Every structure is written in structure tokens, then in C-alpha cells.
Amino acid sequence: MKIALFPGSFDPITKAHVDILKRSISLFDKVYVGIGLNSNKKPLMEADKRLEMLKAVFTAEPKIEVISYEGLTVNFCQKIGASYMIRGIRTVSDFEYEKAIAQMNHALIPDIESIFILSKPGYSSISSTIVRDILRYGGDVSQFVPAEAIPFLPALSNG
């Protein structure tokens, strides 16, 4: 079986994430969406809420399983039997960053291959960071996140 991991914080998930996943599904028998937990970061949404949100978004996709993990992503790939890691690329700076990570991952565990999928031009400006900022100031993020994610988003306003 060809198994892949699409890792990220998904805080929150965006339409760009969904697009990358939908375009990669046909390449693999199973795709894990891995919510990476980083104790050094303070997320907008708690891990269990992100897990619920992603499960709601991908409920109709039988090849996708949502799971959370801690530690090195390449080690988690080994644990779940994934030989591939999917990464979305929006910009040249994304590519430079992801290339460095992929090369380090390859040095650690050469059997895990990174697969880069370029975002569609209409999604290249969408990031979870920007969506979080819009949420913090009470803005409408519905055009940037999948409809299934809206009920899980916190209602915040500092402005």
C-alpha cells in the first residue's frame, strides 16, 4: 500500500490545505492528515478541537484518516507505515523552507520521500496564520476555510 502523511498544525484548516489533499488522494492508497503538536507553540485551537474539525471536513473521504502526533514527523511516518510526506508549496520561500526540511528528513530516514504539491494560484495567499489574524479581529474567514470547519472556529474579537 502507498501510504502518505500530510502533516501540519491545521490551526485552522484552510481551503488551500483541502485543495492539496484532494489533489493528492489519487496518488496514494491512504493519506493520514497528521496534526503536529508542538508544546512550544500556543495554538488558537486546542488539539482535540482541530481533530474534530478535520474529521468533519474529511468525513466523506474514505482514504483519509485524521490523527494527531508529537515528535519528529519522520518518526511518526515510520510509526504509521507512511513512505511519503505531502507538503504544499505556495511561494518560493515555502519551497526553500520545505526543501531544507525534506533534505534533513531524508538524512534522518532515507526511505521517506517528500512530495511537493504546488498550490493553485487562487490559494497561494491563504495561510492559517492569516486566517487566525482575521479571526482575532472579528473578521469573516468563510471564504478561506471549508464550510465544514466554520462551526469549530472560535469567535474572537480584539478590535
Side-chain angles (χ1 to χ4, degrees):
M1 262 180 77
K2 283 197 217 171
I3 300 172
L5 172 69
F6 184 41
S9 63
F10 304 105
D11 187 29
I13 190 166
T14 68
K15 287 183 177 179
H17 291 128
V18 173
D19 176 62
I20 295 293
L21 268 163
K22 287 191 174 183
R23 290 168 47 214
S24 67
I25 286 175
S26 65
L27 303 172
F28 305 101
D29 299 306
K30 183 174 190 87
V31 177
Y32 287 94
V33 178
I35 302 169
L37 306 178
N38 182 340
S39 60
N40 295 328
K41 289 186 179 179
K42 176 64 178 135
L44 176 67
M45 300 172 65
E46 293 301 321
D48 59 340
K49 188 63 84 175
R50 286 182 275 160
L51 195 67
E52 286 179 59
M53 176 182 59
L54 268 71
K55 285 181 177 180
V57 170
F58 297 112
T59 190
E61 295 288 351
K63 286 176 142 186
I64 293 179
E65 184 174 334
V66 180
I67 192 165
S68 61
Y69 72 97
E70 289 186 80
L72 289 176
T73 302
V74 286
N75 290 346
F76 185 67
C77 283
Q78 279 190 314
K79 180 178 177 182
I80 61 173
S83 298
Y84 305 92
M85 194 181 312
I86 301 166
R87 300 301 294 157
I89 304 288
R90 295 171 297 152
T91 63
V92 171
S93 59
D94 278 357
F95 175 74
E96 290 296 330
Y97 175 76
E98 294 296 342
K99 180 182 81 165
I101 297 289
Q103 289 171 333
M104 294 304 290
N105 286 340
H106 186 74
L108 291 169
I109 303 177
D111 294 340
I112 297 173
E113 196 64 55
S114 293
I115 307 292
F116 298 139
I117 298 181
L118 299 178
S119 80
K120 289 184 178 176
Y123 294 133
S124 64
S125 64
I126 301 173
S127 73
S128 293
T129 301
I130 292 171
V131 171
R132 282 194 306 272
D133 286 344
I134 294 169
L135 280 170
R136 281 189 181 100
Y137 292 100
D140 178 9
V141 298
S142 60
Q143 64 183 311
F144 308 117
V145 300
E148 301 89 349
I150 299 288
F152 298 92
L153 300 177
L156 302 172
S157 180
N158 288 344

